């Protein structure tokens, strides 16, 4: 059986080597390359090299960080499956990675069994969203999805919320007051039974309101 090929992009050598060793204990996977930043990794696409099945991408790196790398990959290699790794659970950072095409987001202190599960899910299903990332249970949405009817302005708001615009900028774009936008947000959170902007983004992706 051919092994699933993985590339690691992380500027911390010790972590990168430890991760490579861990992956080596998984019979389904093999590491075919390691890079210290996004620039070094994306430069490889200028040459002929073996493309990975999954990229493990650190968020915080010098020269070219994870968000910048995801933006480049979204434009130049949109079909590449990327799993983001970070010590940062900041909502804004997670949202930027996901909206720019990351198929999952894991904290670096994730248990090895969960990490392996995420690799398998990303490879087989194309995504892995933990409860930490989603902020709500996707299964719950599935049960209620036939009952949810979104108004045109709500869809417009959701699409704008899936960008990097602030709520103030969204209000300006929709020609509404920030207070009205706050109302839209809270109403949608209640209607969709979600708690965060990340949950809103994942709902939009799942229901094809936006494409990444």
């Amino acid at each position: 059986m051919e092994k699933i090929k993985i590339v690691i992009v992380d500027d911390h050598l010790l972590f990168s080597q430890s991760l490579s060793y861990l992956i080596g204990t998984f019979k389904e996977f093999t590491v075919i390359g390691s890079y210290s930043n996004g620039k070094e990794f994306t430069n490889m696409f200028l040459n002929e090299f073996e493309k990975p099945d999954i990229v493990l991408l650190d968020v915080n790196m010098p020269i070219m960080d994870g968000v910048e790398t995801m933006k480049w990959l979204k434009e130049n290699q949109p079909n590449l499956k990327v799993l983001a790794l970070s010590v940062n659970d900041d909502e804004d950072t997670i949202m930027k990675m996901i909206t720019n095409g990351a198929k999952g987001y894991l904290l670096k202190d994730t248990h090895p069994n969960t990490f392996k599960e995420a690799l398998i899910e990303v490879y087989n299903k194309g995504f892995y969203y933990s409860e930490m990332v989603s902020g709500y249970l996707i299964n719950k949405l599935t049960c209620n999805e036939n009952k949810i009817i979104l108004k045109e302005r709500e869809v417009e708001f959701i699409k704008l919320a899936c960008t990097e615009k602030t709520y103030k900028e969204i209000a300006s774009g929709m020609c509404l007051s920030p207070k009205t936008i706050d109302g839209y947000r809270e109403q949608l959170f209640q209607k969709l039974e979600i708690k965060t902007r990340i949950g809103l983004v994942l709902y939009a992706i799942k229901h094809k309101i936006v494409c990444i």
Side-chain angles (χ1 to χ4, degrees):
M1 174 179 153
E2 187 175 349
K3 292 192 174 185
I4 298 167
K5 300 182 289 292
I6 292 178
V7 156
I8 300 170
V9 186
D10 195 297
D11 64 311
H12 292 99
L13 182 60
L14 184 60
F15 177 81
S16 180
Q17 289 179 342
S18 299
L19 191 60
S20 182
Y21 175 79
L22 174 63
I23 294 168
T25 67
F26 303 154
K27 63 180 181 179
E28 303 94 336
F29 303 94
T30 183
V31 175
I32 62 170
S34 296
Y35 304 90
S36 60
N37 59 68
K39 189 66 175 176
E40 185 179 305
F41 172 58
T42 55
N43 280 344
M44 291 305 299
F45 287 95
L46 302 176
N47 308 310
E48 287 189 15
F49 84 115
E50 188 176 13
K51 289 186 179 180
D53 298 303
I54 299 173
V55 177
L56 298 176
L57 180 64
D58 185 21
V59 174
N60 300 307
M61 296 180 292
I63 304 176
M64 188 174 182
D65 66 16
V67 174
E68 292 175 308
T69 304
M70 279 310 312
K71 289 179 179 178
W72 188 94
L73 291 174
K74 184 178 181 180
E75 184 174 341
N76 297 279
Q77 297 289 330
N79 295 322
L80 203 58
K81 296 174 180 177
V82 179
L83 182 59
L85 298 175
S86 180
V87 296
N88 186 359
D89 62 356
D90 174 67
E91 179 180 327
D92 185 54
T93 302
I94 296 171
M95 195 188 75
K96 284 180 179 178
M97 292 299 288
I98 292 174
T99 55
N100 280 297
K103 305 305 181 184
Y105 192 105
L106 288 178
L107 296 180
K108 288 187 175 181
D109 62 357
T110 296
H111 191 281
N113 291 342
T114 303
F115 174 62
K116 182 179 179 180
E117 177 190 351
L119 290 177
I120 293 171
E121 291 282 304
V122 168
Y123 181 73
N124 289 328
K125 296 183 179 180
F127 63 90
Y128 176 83
Y129 296 132
S130 66
E131 188 173 349
M132 181 276 294
V133 172
S134 65
Y136 71 107
L137 296 175
I138 291 179
N139 287 338
K140 193 171 185 180
L141 276 175
T142 303
C143 294
N144 295 332
E145 61 186 359
N146 292 329
K147 302 176 184 177
I148 297 173
I149 299 174
L150 295 174
K151 299 175 182 177
E152 185 177 343
R153 290 291 269 176
E154 288 177 329
V155 172
E156 183 182 356
F157 171 77
I158 291 175
K159 288 180 178 179
L160 289 170
C162 291
T163 68
E164 295 180 17
K165 293 180 182 293
T166 64
Y167 285 123
K168 186 176 180 180
E169 289 171 335
I170 292 173
S172 177
M174 294 182 68
C175 299
L176 298 170
S177 70
K179 187 174 181 180
T180 302
I181 287 298
D182 287 343
Y184 267 97
R185 181 187 66 223
E186 295 308 316
Q187 287 172 17
L188 280 168
F189 281 4
Q190 185 175 4
K191 179 184 285 190
L192 305 179
E193 298 185 26
I194 57 178
K195 298 177 182 178
T196 67
R197 189 170 177 178
I198 297 168
L200 194 62
V201 171
L202 292 177
Y203 177 88
I205 294 170
K206 176 179 171 62
H207 295 274
K208 303 189 187 316
I209 295 173
V210 297
C211 297
I212 61 171

